[in-house]
Amino acid sequence: MINLDSIIGVFTGRKVLFTGVDIGTSSIKVCKLRERKGLYNVVNYGKTEYEESYIVGTEIIDFVSLSARMKESVQTVAPGTKDIAVQVPLSLCFYTVVSASPTENPDEIALEHIRGIISEDDLDKVVVKYRTMPVSILEDHVDIAIAAVKRDILEEYTALAENAGLKIQVIDIEPCAINNQFYLNYPDKVIDCVCLVDIGATFTKIVISYGGYPYLTRNIEMGSSTITEQLQKEYLISYGEAEKLKFGHDLESISYEKALDEVISKIIRKISTEIIWAIDNFKDRFRRDVEEVYLFGGGAKQKNLVSLLKSFTNKKVQLGEPLYFSGIEGAQEYAVSCGLSLRFKGDEHVKV
């Protein structure tokens, strides 16, 4: 049975870790970790790309094929594994942090906020969790994290795993998986406000964290596939040719520099605008600025992305390294699966 009380992750304690399975719109990423005496190592990791579209936007359109690929992916990385942790994409969940006076009742504050966004008729269709956080970004306040996911989405993911012969032990929400792997790799950043940006195929996820916890999230319907598709339309080229251009290779008829100037930089500027909006919104709400941006996801590997984002945002931008704790670099697409693989048996006392 899924431990819905553990919908948000943590990575402390003595653990038997579950295998993390990141179900994306263009691929499945799987990560298996081992923990001993507080130290983590990667046992194995791998990616299975889809030959066809199994997920369009947020909707699974080929349940059987996706389940089969899920089974194949897990058994390739972690043979014999049954128990897994999966994520609900940010596009399919709700997450926020509200601040309150220490004299106010946190339960009442959370319930009042939830009733303001979910009608009474729909409450029974949604799994809602909230928890007072052990840190507070504002003096003389308490911060309350609230997460909500529709029950039918949880049921669909459960059925997907069961059809693959797997058992979901933990369902995390995507921003917390991204957050957890970050603090495993960058524990010294716990005192700073940081912006974590995961650029996937279809969506770009923005998470602003402080004190080890996610505080603000934003989902953008724009990802690395947006660039590929626009390059195809602009230059009437194939998918493969557009992918080559995107990652910095010249074609016979089109140079990368031309594509960068006419197409790629314009889309990156739009993503930059969303990042700045999130940072400004965070500053308005919590009166704290964000100076550092860390990039994750397969789309983070695009040529010139870091330099473009630096120039567009005027922030310190760098590639994040999800598996750096185990000496592995260049694995930006494993941010979510790594965060998921930090979940463990008996993981009930969650951070948020």
Side-chain angles (χ1 to χ4, degrees), residues 96-144:
T96 191
V97 174
V98 296
S99 295
S101 167
T103 60
E104 296 179 276
N105 186 315
D107 293 342
E108 292 179 359
I109 294 294
L111 288 172
E112 180 182 349
H113 189 86
I114 290 166
R115 290 193 177 106
I117 57 174
I118 303 174
S119 68
E120 291 290 339
D121 293 339
D122 289 334
L123 273 176
D124 62 343
K125 300 176 184 178
V126 179
V127 174
V128 179
K129 299 295 174 183
Y130 58 90
R131 192 176 297 271
T132 301
M133 298 168 67
V135 297
S136 176
I137 201 167
L138 298 174
E139 289 186 23
D140 302 322
H141 281 75
V142 294
D143 293 333
I144 305 163

Side-chain angles (χ1 to χ4, degrees), residues 67 69 86 103 259 316 333:
S67 181
R69 299 295 273 178
V86 302
T103 60
K316 180 181 178 181
E333 63 266 47

Side-chain angles (χ1 to χ4, degrees), residues 20-226:
V21 182
D22 172 11
I23 306 168
T25 56
S26 66
S27 65
I28 293 176
K29 278 78 66 178
V30 180
C31 188
K32 177 68 176 177
L33 305 184
R34 178 183 294 119
E35 183 269 345
R36 186 177 181 183
K37 296 182 179 179
L39 298 177
Y40 292 82
N41 284 292
V42 175
V43 176
N44 200 6
Y45 65 104
K47 176 173 67 173
T48 300
E49 296 183 345
Y50 309 144
E51 297 174 359
E52 300 176 2
S53 296
Y54 301 146
I55 302 175
V56 174
T58 59
E59 182 180 358
I60 298 175
I61 61 171
D62 191 341
F63 182 93
V64 174
S65 296
L66 181 59
S67 181
R69 299 295 273 178
M70 186 177 178
K71 179 178 181 179
E72 173 190 339
S73 302
V74 172
Q75 296 310 316
T76 298
V77 173
T81 291
K82 297 291 184 183
D83 297 333
I84 62 172
V86 302
Q87 94 281 17
V88 175
L90 179 55
S91 55
L92 292 175
C93 67
F94 169 82
Y95 179 85
T96 191
V97 174
V98 296
S99 295
S101 167
T103 60
E104 296 179 276
N105 186 315
D107 293 342
E108 292 179 359
I109 294 294
L111 288 172
E112 180 182 349
H113 189 86
I114 290 166
R115 290 193 177 106
I117 57 174
I118 303 174
S119 68
E120 291 290 339
D121 293 339
D122 289 334
L123 273 176
D124 62 343
K125 300 176 184 178
V126 179
V127 174
V128 179
K129 299 295 174 183
Y130 58 90
R131 192 176 297 271
T132 301
M133 298 168 67
V135 297
S136 176
I137 201 167
L138 298 174
E139 289 186 23
D140 302 322
H141 281 75
V142 294
D143 293 333
I144 305 163
I146 304 170
V149 182
K150 289 183 177 179
R151 291 186 184 275
D152 59 0
I153 294 172
L154 298 175
E155 291 169 358
E156 183 174 41
Y157 276 77
T158 302
L160 188 70
E162 288 178 348
N163 195 61
L166 303 168
K167 185 177 181 180
I168 297 177
Q169 295 291 347
V170 172
I171 293 184
D172 222 338
I173 59 173
E174 192 169 37
C176 290
I178 296 169
N179 180 82
N180 286 350
Q181 64 78 25
F182 175 78
Y183 286 106
L184 177 65
N185 288 285
Y186 304 90
D188 58 315
K189 293 300 177 181
V190 72
I191 61 174
D192 301 320
C193 297
V194 294
C195 180
L196 315 178
V197 179
D198 187 298
I199 304 175
T202 306
F203 300 103
T204 294
K205 289 78 67 175
I206 301 172
V207 181
I208 298 183
S209 297
Y210 167 75
Y213 301 88
Y215 264 78
L216 182 145
T217 64
R218 183 166 177 79
N219 187 70
I220 311 165
E221 290 191 41
M222 189 182 302
S224 62
S225 291
T226 307

Side-chain angles (χ1 to χ4, degrees), residues 280-311:
D280 287 346
N281 183 262
F282 176 83
K283 186 176 181 179
D284 289 343
R285 288 181 59 192
F286 300 107
R287 302 195 291 273
R288 295 286 295 271
D289 205 355
V290 177
E291 296 297 339
E292 293 183 289
V293 178
Y294 291 80
L295 305 179
F296 300 96
K301 295 182 175 183
Q302 297 172 61
K303 186 177 179 180
N304 286 323
L305 178 62
V306 171
S307 59
L308 283 171
L309 285 176
K310 281 182 179 179
S311 64

Side-chain angles (χ1 to χ4, degrees), residues 259-270:
L260 177 67
D261 180 60
E262 296 179 346
V263 177
I264 298 172
S265 64
K266 293 178 181 179
I267 297 174
I268 299 304
R269 183 181 288 276
K270 291 180 181 178

